[in-house]
Amino acid sequence: MTIYRFSKNVTIGKHTIGAGEPTYVIAEAGVNHNGDIALAKKLIDTAVSAGADAVKFQLFNTDALIKADVKKAAYQVGNKTDSQSQYEMLKALEISADECKVLAEYAATKSIDFLVTPFDEPSLSFLATLGLSALKVSSTDLTNTPFLLNAAKIGVPIILSTGMSEQSEVDHAISAIHEACKDVVLLQCTSSYPAPEADLNLRVIRKYAEDYGVIAGYSDHTVGIGASPYAVAAGALVIEKHFTLDKTLPGPDHQASLSPDELISFMREIRRVDTMMGRNIKRVELCERENRLSLQKCLVASCHIEPGVAFNESNICAKRTGGVGIPANYVQSVYGKLATKLLNVGDIVNV
């Protein structure tokens, strides 16, 4: 197996992502602005209010992205009378490069990381000039090796989703970008809207971390708060989740996104899990210390012991003593030592 040397810690904006750090949460606005820059700014405000670390949008040139006659994906179809093509839908959801720059500047005033997923070469080229602290590459471009390499060469961290892909394709993508970019975050993802629970495969998160030595995370397409808290417990250091201002708005992603109130609850749950995960070093916690004294056992005489008699497994045993005496795990070091005074049953052993 190839040994990769990706960064163990990645910096995006003011945030450090790595083991022991709080989960980095990306609030995915995507195209839920419906092409309206004012709505996009409100999405940024909502992400800030909820406490997300980053807000992410999508940038694409529809003509460079898709043929005009491509049909919508099944989840994008609004109803049986919806005859709009995928090209027409995306054209209505475009934001311009200038508008993207305005949003980046607005996010900076709100002290939230601004991320963008480019879907075509012109958009990628523009973002290379924008000074972003990281780039997100969609699952749709995991197998687009030339595009992936160009993104990796920009010189900022790459967050790469892996939906709709085989293990061999992930292997190929990682191998392709390894030399160009060491700051990589690899996201497990199931590209179905919503994603069925039986197809989430959260164990892949830890496999990515172990196989490639990358920071691993999860792009969540489940309903509601969904799988993300469990993904954090499964090893995800980065979480991405769609949100909207109003689930009833027209557009392909609103219904499967979190509402503003749900986004607040979502962030609260992620931070609860962060707290529960704690550290990776076992120690006696402050809340346990009194119970430790009360409940753990020390050595006492199990029978009458005369001075000068050697301690052995027949004349001493372990009982709760309120923390007084020799802890029972030191019993082997006590065997063979001589009693220095008369001990009755239950007396605490000292040597």
Side-chain angles (χ1 to χ4, degrees):
M1 178 181 288
T2 303
I3 298 176
Y4 298 104
R5 291 179 173 82
F6 288 107
S7 302
K8 299 299 182 185
N9 293 282
V10 170
T11 299
I12 298 178
K14 296 179 180 179
H15 299 90
T16 298
I17 304 171
E21 300 291 341
T23 304
Y24 187 77
V25 181
I26 303 168
E28 166 71 277
V31 294
N32 283 345
H33 49 72
N34 286 8
D36 182 343
I37 193 73
L39 201 62
K41 287 183 177 180
K42 289 180 180 178
L43 284 163
I44 293 173
D45 293 339
T46 299
V48 171
S49 296
D53 300 301
V55 62
K56 188 178 79 67
F57 290 87
Q58 298 175 7
L59 186 66
F60 49 86
N61 179 316
T62 307
D63 291 314
L65 174 60
I66 190 169
K67 291 178 62 180
D69 59 351
V70 175
K71 294 181 180 180
K72 287 183 178 180
Y75 81 93
Q76 296 171 335
V77 177
N79 53 57
K80 292 180 180 179
T81 62
D82 184 357
S83 60
Q84 188 183 44
S85 69
Q86 190 174 160
Y87 175 94
E88 292 169 329
M89 177 192 72
L90 292 174
K91 196 68 177 174
L93 297 173
E94 279 186 349
I95 57 172
S96 68
D98 287 341
E99 287 173 325
C100 185
K101 184 176 180 181
V102 168
L103 293 178
E105 292 169 350
Y106 185 75
T109 68
K110 299 294 183 176
S111 299
I112 189 170
D113 292 343
F114 182 77
L115 303 178
V116 183
T117 300
F119 283 88
D120 51 75
E121 292 289 355
S123 297
L124 178 62
S125 297
F126 166 73
L127 292 177
T129 71
L130 197 56
L132 298 182
S133 57
L135 272 176
K136 170 68 194 297
V137 177
S138 165
S139 298
T140 62
D141 283 306
L142 179 100
T143 57
N144 185 359
T145 305
F147 181 87
L148 192 54
L149 274 172
N150 288 338
K153 291 175 182 177
I154 288 176
V156 297
I158 295 294
I159 303 169
L160 176 60
S161 279
T162 61
M164 307 177 293
S165 60
E166 300 289 349
Q167 184 71 54
S168 60
E169 293 169 331
V170 179
D171 290 342
H172 180 80
I174 287 295
S175 179
I177 66 175
H178 176 245
E179 291 303 320
C181 182
K182 296 296 188 288
D183 292 340
V184 173
V185 177
L186 195 62
L187 304 184
Q188 163 61 352
C189 177
T190 302
S191 296
S192 181
Y193 308 87
E197 292 183 357
D199 296 332
L200 301 183
N201 302 315
L202 297 182
R203 287 189 176 93
V204 171
I205 296 167
R206 202 168 301 280
K207 179 174 176 59
Y208 281 167
E210 293 171 352
D211 285 0
Y212 306 125
V214 294
I215 291 172
Y218 183 60
S219 181
D220 186 2
H221 295 149
T222 57
V223 174
I225 290 174
S228 286
Y230 304 103
V232 174
L237 302 179
V238 174
I239 292 291
E240 178 183 71
K241 185 78 171 180
H242 278 266
F243 76 106
T244 181
L245 296 179
D246 184 349
K247 294 187 181 188
T248 66
L249 288 171
D253 295 335
H254 292 286
Q255 192 171 356
S257 299
L258 296 175
S259 69
D261 286 344
E262 286 174 330
L263 182 61
I264 291 171
S265 297
F266 177 83
M267 288 302 306
R268 188 179 298 121
E269 280 303 300
I270 295 297
R271 296 308 178 215
R272 282 186 67 208
V273 178
D274 280 342
T275 300
M276 293 176 191
M277 293 297 287
R279 69 185 70 81
N280 62 357
I281 297 174
K282 180 62 180 172
R283 72 180 189 192
V284 179
E285 299 295 339
L286 181 62
C287 66
E288 297 179 300
R289 291 181 183 177
E290 184 177 342
N291 287 340
R292 176 183 169 93
L293 291 174
S294 177
L295 302 177
Q296 289 196 344
K297 296 175 181 178
C298 294
L299 300 177
V300 299
S302 59
C303 62
H304 181 87
I305 304 174
E306 294 285 342
V309 173
F311 295 120
N312 57 56
E313 61 185 10
S314 298
N315 60 17
I316 59 175
C317 65
K319 286 188 177 182
R320 292 179 181 177
T321 65
V324 180
I326 301 170
N329 56 320
Y330 291 105
V331 66
Q332 292 294 332
S333 66
V334 174
Y335 287 158
K337 300 288 180 66
L338 303 180
T340 59
K341 62 180 182 179
L342 174 68
L343 295 175
N344 294 311
V345 174
D347 285 348
I348 291 170
V349 171
N350 287 296
V351 294

